[in-house]
Structure formats: structure tokens, C-alpha cells
Amino acid sequence: MINIILFGPPGSGKGTQAAKLLEKYNLLHISTGDLFRYEIGNKTELGLKARSYMDKGELVPDSVTIGMLRNKVEANPDVEGYIFDGFPRTVPQSKALDILLAEKGEEVTMLLELLVNDEEIVSRLLERAKVSGRSDDADESIIRNRIEVYKKNTTPVADFYAKTGKTHKINGIGEIEEVFERLCGKIDVTCSC
Ligand code: AMP
């Protein structure tokens, strides 16, 4: 299996690139943000709980997020691998993911970190808000809070996987196709796939 963590701040292109990667490498894309939005759309208890955090640009508590991720992975056992997008966002989530994969005799293959500067993120997300309809993309102060939360709580995840040599930094600025080629280049040299 190839298990890729597609990492980076909000608006770094994780969703766009994941959609291209899953086609090329035949992987299951799991976006915890999308899973939460699906729950919100269905007005489930989990959705209601998540919404209060998402609206402010805060992280949903680990216990809720990890449980939801585990259900999704366990519901899809027969895949060639996973692309995790927006997960893990904290070190406890990383440890939970490692345990979950170890139970399957698997491990994280690599973490690919898309590097994009703050001002580019703000302008990309404000632009995306016009089509996504996401309220957390439409308000600059919420976007800036998401960036701060990323720096404080989420960047330690890249350091966590760097300890085992799994973190790779990729320039996330450029045309979609250019960034995709950079990601594929890194995947292809790391796994012989
Ligand atoms: P995203 O679609 O990845 O930008 O996520 C949107 C929002 O969902 C985030 O700002 C968080 O409130 C919540 N969220 C998504 N993934 C996670 C996660 N792994 N841990 C905690 N909160 C999350």
C-alpha cells in the first residue's frame, strides 16, 4: 500500500492535488474537512458538534476527529492505499493514525508538505469562497486564525514524521500541473510504483 499524508496550510492545494493523485495512483482520498461537511449537510450529531469549531477556524477535538477517520478507513479496507488530506492535524492524531495503520500491518509511506506563503493563502481562500460557499473561506479573520492554528498545532506533525525521514517539502506555488509533477516526482522516487 501507499499511504500518503498530503500536508500543508489551508488553501495550499491539498484537495486539488489529491483529486489528481488518486486517479494516477489509484488511492482512496480521505479528507476530514469533507467528511465533516458531509455530516453537517446531513445535520448529524457529529456534524453539529464539528460545526461550532469549524465556523471559528478552530480544530475539532481529536477524539471526534480520530473516531470519524477510523470509521472511514475501516469501511474501506480493500484499497491500494490512502491519501490523507487535512489529517492528521495534531501530533495525537498522527499517533492514532500510526496505530490504525499498524493494525493493518501498514504504515505512513510519506508526508508531502505543500509550501505556500500566508498572503497567497489568504488571497486563494477569499477567491475560493466565491465558488465554495464556505463561510470559513469568506472571512479574512477566520482564515488568519486557521493559519495560526496550522502553525501552532499542525506543523509539529511534519516534524513528527521528519524524525523517521518521511517528511518531504514541496513548493506549492505555481500552476496546478507543475505542483502535481513535483509531487509525482517525489512519490515515484520514494516508492517504486
Ligand atoms: P479543511 O476542509 O481541511 O480546510 O477543514 C475545514 C475545517 O474542518 C477545519 O478548519 C477544522 O475546523 C475542521 N477539521 C478538518 N480536519 C480536521 C482535523 N484533522 N482535526 C481537527 N479539525 C479538522
Side-chain angles (χ1 to χ4, degrees), residues 13 20 26 43-44 49 52 55 58 62 65 67 72 77 98 103-104 108 114 118 122-123 143 152 177 183 187:
K20 294 173 70 64
N26 202 17
K43 298 189 168 58
T44 65
K49 200 179 280 179
S52 55
D55 282 349
E58 298 290 336
D62 283 342
T65 308
K72 184 73 181 175
D98 285 357
E103 285 168 10
K104 297 160 69 67
V108 168
L114 290 168
D118 293 1
V122 173
S123 81
I143 294 174
K152 182 168 170 274
E177 210 53 46
L183 290 168
I187 295 170

Side-chain angles (χ1 to χ4, degrees), residues 10 14 31-34 36-37 50 53-55 57-62 65 85-90 93 128 134 136 146:
K14 299 187 296 295
S31 154
T32 40
D34 286 350
F36 283 132
R37 282 184 287 276
Y53 297 94
M54 293 170 75
D55 282 349
E58 298 290 336
L59 294 182
V60 179
D62 283 342
T65 308
D85 160 5
F87 184 95
R89 262 175 157 100
T90 63
Q93 290 182 17
R128 185 171 79 179
R134 282 177 54 174
D136 60 343
R146 289 161 69 196

Side-chain angles (χ1 to χ4, degrees), residues 17-166:
Q17 296 297 336
K20 294 173 70 64
L21 290 169
L22 68 92
E23 238 178 71
K24 177 162 180 185
Y25 297 99
N26 202 17
L27 306 172
L28 179 73
H29 175 204
I30 302 183
S31 154
T32 40
D34 286 350
L35 292 177
F36 283 132
R37 282 184 287 276
Y38 177 81
E39 297 288 336
I40 290 170
N42 286 307
K43 298 189 168 58
T44 65
E45 202 180 315
L46 194 152
L48 287 176
K49 200 179 280 179
R51 181 165 202 163
S52 55
Y53 297 94
M54 293 170 75
D55 282 349
K56 291 181 278 193
E58 298 290 336
L59 294 182
V60 179
D62 283 342
S63 56
V64 178
T65 308
I66 290 167
M68 181 181 70
L69 188 277
R70 177 176 274 276
N71 288 342
K72 184 73 181 175
V73 168
E74 286 177 350
N76 294 277
D78 299 320
V79 295
E80 291 182 31
Y82 301 94
I83 300 181
F84 297 101
D85 160 5
F87 184 95
R89 262 175 157 100
T90 63
V91 170
Q93 290 182 17
S94 312
K95 292 181 177 166
L97 178 62
D98 285 357
I99 291 170
L100 176 58
L101 290 176
E103 285 168 10
K104 297 160 69 67
E106 291 294 331
E107 59 179 62
V108 168
T109 312
M110 68 183 91
L111 179 151
L112 297 171
E113 179 180 6
L114 290 168
L115 302 175
V116 177
N117 62 63
D118 293 1
E119 294 321 303
E120 173 78 12
I121 290 169
V122 173
S123 81
R124 282 188 189 184
L125 290 184
L126 289 173
E127 200 52 41
R128 185 171 79 179
K130 295 177 190 162
V131 283
S132 72
R134 282 177 54 174
S135 57
D136 60 343
D137 284 349
D139 181 318
E140 186 166 337
S141 65
I142 294 175
I143 294 174
R144 294 211 181 262
N145 188 41
R146 289 161 69 196
I147 294 172
E148 286 317 305
V149 168
Y150 175 78
K151 287 180 182 167
K152 182 168 170 274
N153 301 88
T154 304
T155 54
V157 170
D159 302 335
F160 177 80
Y161 287 105
K163 286 185 198 144
T164 44
K166 290 181 176 174

